[in-house]
């Protein structure tokens, strides 16, 4: 296997208890009594996503995973049909199941051994420098979103 540049992705359920202040402030910004459930959820989802993308580590309260920093987050609110407009308004959005697809920064994928990804930072030249290799267990929930083969 030749080294490649990859971008990893991870899917997580956002704990609204941890991000409660963010959820409540975003809800207060987008709430209008004229909204239908779908309109309210769509605007709410968009507002939270833009806020989280301004600083993913701070808002999701996640550290960089094995030295890889989160770059971009795509949110999806699941099971909207299980909620009523009244329940979403009374909980100020904290009752919603928010799924986050976290896209991490680009790294070199050097190999895959013993069910672990072997990665290196992209700041180094793999062909001339000694590279510090980091092993990431495959069971962390990381998947490869994009890959660019190096020649």
């Amino acid at each position: 296997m030749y080294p490649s540049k990859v971008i990893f992705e991870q899917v997580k359920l956002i704990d609204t208890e941890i991000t409660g202040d963010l959820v409540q402030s975003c809800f207060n910004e987008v709430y209008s009594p004229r909204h239908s459930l779908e309109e309210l959820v769509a605007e709410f989802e968009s507002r939270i996503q833009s806020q989280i993308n301004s600083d993913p580590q701070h808002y999701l309260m996640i550290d960089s995973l094995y030295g890889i920093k989160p770059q971009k987050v795509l949110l999806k609110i699941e099971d909207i049909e299980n909620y009523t407009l009244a329940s979403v308004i009374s909980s100020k959005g904290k009752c919603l199941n928010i799924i986050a697809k976290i896209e991490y920064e680009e790294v070199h994928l050097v190999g895959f051994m013993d069910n672990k990804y072997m990665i290196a930072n992209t700041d180094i030249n793999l062909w001339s420098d000694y590279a510090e290799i980091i092993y990431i267990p495959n069971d962390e929930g990381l998947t490869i979103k994009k890959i660019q083969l190096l020649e």
Side-chain angles (χ1 to χ4, degrees), residues 78-92:
E78 295 269 310
D79 304 324
I80 298 171
E81 61 276 353
N82 294 338
Y83 301 103
T84 62
L85 184 58
S87 67
V88 172
I89 292 170
S90 67
S91 70
K92 297 195 183 243

Side-chain angles (χ1 to χ4, degrees), residues 32-147:
S32 168
R34 292 185 298 246
H35 280 137
S36 68
L37 176 62
E38 292 78 16
E39 292 170 335
L40 178 63
V41 168
E43 284 189 38
F44 182 56
E45 181 180 78
S46 173
R47 181 66 190 135
I48 291 175
Q49 181 172 312
S50 67
Q51 195 72 18
I52 287 175
N53 278 324
S54 68
D55 189 2
Q57 284 183 292
H58 172 73
Y59 287 113
L60 293 179
M61 304 210 180
I62 55 173
D63 293 326
S64 55
L65 188 64
Y66 296 96
I68 312 172
K69 295 178 185 160
Q71 266 325 92
K72 188 171 85 174
V73 178
L74 178 66
L75 296 181
K76 176 78 174 129
I77 295 179
E78 295 269 310
D79 304 324
I80 298 171
E81 61 276 353
N82 294 338
Y83 301 103
T84 62
L85 184 58
S87 67
V88 172
I89 292 170
S90 67
S91 70
K92 297 195 183 243
K94 291 183 182 179
C95 66
L96 299 171
N97 287 331
I98 305 172
I99 305 293
K101 274 188 176 179
I102 305 165
E103 187 177 298
Y104 291 90
E105 67 184 347
E106 185 178 70
V107 293
H108 285 296
L109 178 64
V110 182
F112 188 79
M113 182 174 27
D114 295 333
N115 210 20
K116 295 178 183 175
Y117 294 112
M118 298 166 39
I119 65 165
N121 194 329
T122 54
D123 295 338
I124 62 167
N125 182 351
L126 287 176
W127 307 113
S128 66
D129 295 335
Y130 287 99
E132 180 180 331
I133 304 295
I134 301 169
Y135 292 91
I136 300 177
N138 196 20
D139 56 359
E140 285 293 328
L142 289 175
T143 57
I144 295 175
K145 179 178 182 179
K146 296 179 184 174
I147 187 166

